[in-house]
Amino acid sequence: MKHSLDGLGAVFCLILLLACPALALTGARNGLLLWADVVLPTLLPFMICSGMIVALNGVPLLTKPLFPFLSRFMGLSQPGSFVFITGLLCGYPMGARMDSRFLEEGRIELNEARTLLAVSNHPSPMFILGYICVQAASLFSSSNACPPWIFLTALYLPILPVSFLAKKCYHLNLITLHLNQEASLCRQDNYKSEHTRVSFDAHLMDCLETMEKIGLYIMIFSILALYLSALPDSLLPLTLRCALLGAVEITTGIQAISGSVPGFAGALLITAAGAFGGSSGIFQTKSVLKSAGLSIRHYILWKFFHSVLSCAAFALCFFINQSLQIGI
C-alpha cells in the first residue's frame, strides 16, 4: 500500500509538471538562483572553513571562550560546543551536518548528538539581520515598531528551554559530559596524527556534494511553493497560503508573508517560519544525517516546539517594545 501511494504521488507530480510547465520552470529557476546567489556563497565558505578547523585540530581554540558557559548550562562537551557554535553561526544545515560527522567519528556520544540535533540547527545571525529583519521592516509604518533585537531574542532565546528538555529526554548529564570529555581527550592523539593526511581536494568535493543536495532540495520546494502561491483565494485563503509557504520554504515563504500579511500577524508568521526552517530545511537536514541514531522525526518535533516558543517570545518582546515606545 505504501509503495502504491508513493507511486501515485510521483505520478501526480509528473501531471502537475506537464500541466503547468511555465510554473515549474519559474520555480526551478527561482530556487536555483536563490541557491547560487544566497545559499552557496554564504554557506560554502563556512562549510569549508569549519571542516578544516576540525581536520587541523582547531576545535579547542575556537570553543575555549564559550565552553564554560555551554558546559555548565547546556551540558555540552568541547566537541559538542563546537557543533553548537557552528550551527548557530553558519545556519541550516551546518549544525546537523557537523553533529552527524562528530558522532560518526566518535568525538561525541549518541545522547549528546541527539541533544545537539535539537538545538544546533538554526538560521544564522546574518540571515536574520540581512533577510528576515529587512523583509519584516515592510510590515510596519515605523522603523522602531519591530527592531532586530526582537527577532534575535525570539529565535535564539528558546534554545535554552529546548536544550534543558532535550537533556532530560536523552539523559545527558554532567557525568556523561565528563565521560565524553575523557573519551575525546583519549582520541586527540589519533586526530593529530590523522590531520597531517587531510586531503583538501577531498574535503572540497565532500562540501560540494552537500551543497548540491541542498540546491536540489531548494529547487524542488521552490517549485512547490510557486504552485501553492498560484492557487486561487477561494481554494486557499491568503493568510493560510502564506503560512503554508513559510512551512514549505523559509526564504520564499518569508517574502510572501512580508508582501501579503501586514503588522503583528505577518511578523509572527515570519518568526514561526524562521524558527521552523521549512520543509526544505528538514529535507536538507535529513540529507546530512549519515549517522545511525539521529532521528529526523525527533528533529521535526523539536523544531515545532522551538517554533511555538519563538512565537510566544516574539509576542512578549513585541508588546514590551510597544509599551516602552508609548512610555517614551
Side-chain angles (χ1 to χ4, degrees), residues 116-317:
L116 283 166
L117 185 60
V119 297
S120 64
N121 231 27
H122 308 286
S124 68
M126 289 186 298
F127 182 79
I128 295 174
L129 295 174
Y131 188 78
I132 290 181
C133 292
V134 172
Q135 294 292 328
S138 62
L139 301 175
F140 302 94
S141 58
S142 172
S143 59
N144 294 325
C146 194
W149 70 265
I150 295 181
F151 287 103
L152 291 170
T153 302
L155 291 171
Y156 290 149
L157 185 62
I159 292 175
L160 293 177
V162 171
S163 67
F164 176 79
L165 290 177
K167 284 192 300 180
K168 295 293 184 182
C169 180
Y170 299 123
H171 308 292
L172 184 66
N173 50 48
L174 290 178
I175 296 176
T176 305
L177 172 64
H178 292 313
L179 291 175
N180 291 346
Q181 281 292 96
E182 291 174 4
S184 178
L185 290 173
C186 290
R187 297 185 184 101
Q188 278 188 359
D189 292 337
N190 292 333
Y191 297 153
K192 290 177 181 179
S193 62
E194 287 174 1
H195 87 263
T196 58
R197 299 190 298 271
V198 170
S199 170
F200 186 67
D201 288 340
H203 176 57
L204 285 180
M205 292 307 297
D206 180 57
C207 292
L208 286 175
E209 180 184 355
T210 302
M211 291 305 305
E212 287 174 3
K213 291 180 181 179
I214 292 173
L216 290 174
Y217 279 122
I218 291 176
M219 181 190 74
I220 292 170
F221 282 96
S222 292
I223 295 173
L224 176 59
L226 198 60
Y227 275 104
L228 286 174
S229 64
L231 292 175
D233 292 343
S234 58
L235 187 61
L236 192 64
L238 182 61
T239 302
L240 178 58
R241 181 193 307 162
C242 290
L244 285 176
L245 286 173
V248 168
E249 209 286 312
I250 179 174
T251 309
T252 307
I254 289 174
Q255 187 177 32
I257 293 168
S258 67
S260 304
V261 186
F264 173 78
L268 195 65
L269 288 177
I270 287 177
T271 302
F276 186 67
S279 299
S280 177
I282 290 171
F283 275 83
Q284 293 172 38
T285 299
K286 186 177 183 296
S287 70
V288 300
L289 294 182
K290 300 179 181 179
S291 300
L294 296 179
S295 170
I296 191 64
R297 294 179 182 178
H298 285 200
Y299 171 77
I300 294 171
L301 291 175
W302 287 119
K303 292 306 291 183
F304 179 77
F305 180 57
H306 190 136
S307 182
V308 171
L309 291 180
S310 290
C311 289
F314 174 84
L316 179 62
C317 292

Side-chain angles (χ1 to χ4, degrees), residues 54 59-60 62-64 66-67 69-71 74-88 94-96 98-103 106-109 111-117 119-121 172 177 180-181 184 191:
V54 175
V59 172
L62 183 64
T63 59
K64 189 175 182 180
L66 294 176
F67 175 64
F69 172 82
L70 296 177
S71 172
M74 298 183 67
L76 300 179
S77 64
Q78 195 167 68
S81 299
F82 178 78
V83 172
F84 176 76
I85 293 171
T86 301
L88 196 66
M94 273 300 295
M98 198 61 64
D99 185 29
S100 179
R101 176 181 173 181
F102 273 31
L103 176 59
R107 296 173 184 259
I108 57 177
E109 300 298 327
N111 53 0
E112 185 176 12
R114 287 172 171 170
T115 302
L116 283 166
L117 185 60
V119 297
S120 64
N121 231 27
L172 184 66
L177 172 64
N180 291 346
Q181 281 292 96
S184 178
Y191 297 153

